[in-house]
Amino acid sequence: LAKTTQPISMDSYEGQEVNITCSHNNIATNDYITWYQQFPSQGPRFIIQGYKTKVTNEVASLFIPADRKSSTLSLPRVSLSDTAVYYCLVVHGSGNTGKLIFGQGTTLQVKP
Amino acid sequence: DSGVTQTPKHLITATGQRVTLRCSPRSGDLSVYWYQQSLDQGLQFLIHYYNGEERAKGNILERFSAQQFPDLHSELNLSSLELGDSALYFCASSVGPGRGGDADTQYFGPGTRLTVL
């Protein structure tokens, strides 16, 4: 399973766009990139998943360059309630057992 | 609300005891996954069931066991509890068997906080 590397922490201010980049140099052809958000003492919440190029939903965008060795989660106009830990995961497709490997995540602190 | 329910929300027990945690997946989901989150270990995968069958095991201790019932709910049994078993236990569910893609997006429940005294 591909290992992911992301910043341990980031600070931002309300109303700003936040970009969290994750590197996954050993990503395989069948792997998907998935992001989860977790608030203290709550279960991780699925944010977005992608395979290549750009994916956008109502809460975030995910940018994946052609080589797929990194990905960037973009949160538009963050608010205080976006303060959380964000996990980047590489999920192996095709024969995957389904287990998710969570790293340290990025703790995002949004300030007023 | 993810649609995954877990009971109980909190559990306090003593060392050496046995407890059972329960998880009901989202309607229509066939897979159930269990994870443990402790302060020093982060989120760790324990075990995965798909439609009643065990699919994969992670870092699950021999003192722990799980099963998925015909109605697709799952139970995680923790026995001979030790202080180090104190953690948040999450279950997640997905539609598919874990092969990746949209059908295997995992949705997590609110967790059970286990405290072993």
Side-chain angles (χ1 to χ4, degrees), chain A:
Chain A
L1 292 170
K3 181 178 157 69
T4 60
T5 303
Q6 55 184 122
I8 296 290
S9 64
M10 291 182 73
D11 288 341
S12 183
Y13 291 92
E14 280 191 294
Q16 288 189 334
E17 178 185 75
V18 170
N19 295 309
I20 306 174
T21 296
C22 176
S23 70
H24 24 79
N25 291 320
N26 296 325
I27 193 167
T29 304
N30 294 325
D31 291 347
Y32 291 79
I33 298 147
T34 305
W35 287 80
Y36 280 83
Q37 173 195 55
Q38 187 179 28
F39 299 110
S41 297
Q42 293 186 27
R45 183 175 81 105
F46 171 79
I47 302 175
I48 199 165
Q49 176 173 271
Y51 184 77
K52 61 181 178 180
T53 63
K54 178 183 173 182
V55 180
T56 298
N57 62 22
E58 63 276 6
V59 297
S61 294
L62 179 60
F63 298 92
I64 305 168
D67 66 5
R68 305 200 325 124
K69 291 183 185 299
S70 67
S71 59
T72 299
L73 174 73
S74 181
L75 305 172
R77 297 180 300 282
V78 293
S79 64
L80 296 176
S81 63
D82 292 317
T83 294
V85 179
Y86 292 82
Y87 295 98
C88 164
L89 297 95
V90 170
V91 182
H92 188 61
S94 180
N96 180 38
T97 60
K99 68 177 181 181
L100 298 180
I101 308 294
F102 286 85
Q104 298 274 27
T106 297
T107 298
L108 172 65
Q109 180 71 48
V110 180
K111 302 176 182 176

Side-chain angles (χ1 to χ4, degrees), chain A residues 36 38 41 93-94 96-98, chain B residues 35 37 48 90 98-99 106 113:
Chain A
Y36 280 83
Q38 187 179 28
S41 297
S94 180
N96 180 38
T97 60
Chain B
Y35 294 84
Q37 186 171 36
H48 169 207
F90 294 106
R99 294 202 186 98
Q106 292 183 31
R113 180 175 292 282

Side-chain angles (χ1 to χ4, degrees), chain B residues 21-64:
Chain B
L21 313 183
R22 183 188 167 105
C23 168
S24 292
R26 296 184 320 156
S27 177
D29 284 0
L30 299 177
S31 272
V32 170
Y33 309 80
W34 286 96
Y35 294 84
Q36 177 193 56
Q37 186 171 36
S38 56
L39 282 173
D40 57 344
Q41 293 286 328
L43 266 159
Q44 299 281 320
F45 167 76
L46 295 178
I47 198 163
H48 169 207
Y49 280 85
Y50 174 72
N51 204 20
E53 300 288 328
E54 182 185 301
R55 288 275 294 180
K57 264 185 175 177
N59 302 320
I60 187 166
L61 300 171
E62 284 191 13
R63 301 182 286 108
F64 295 1

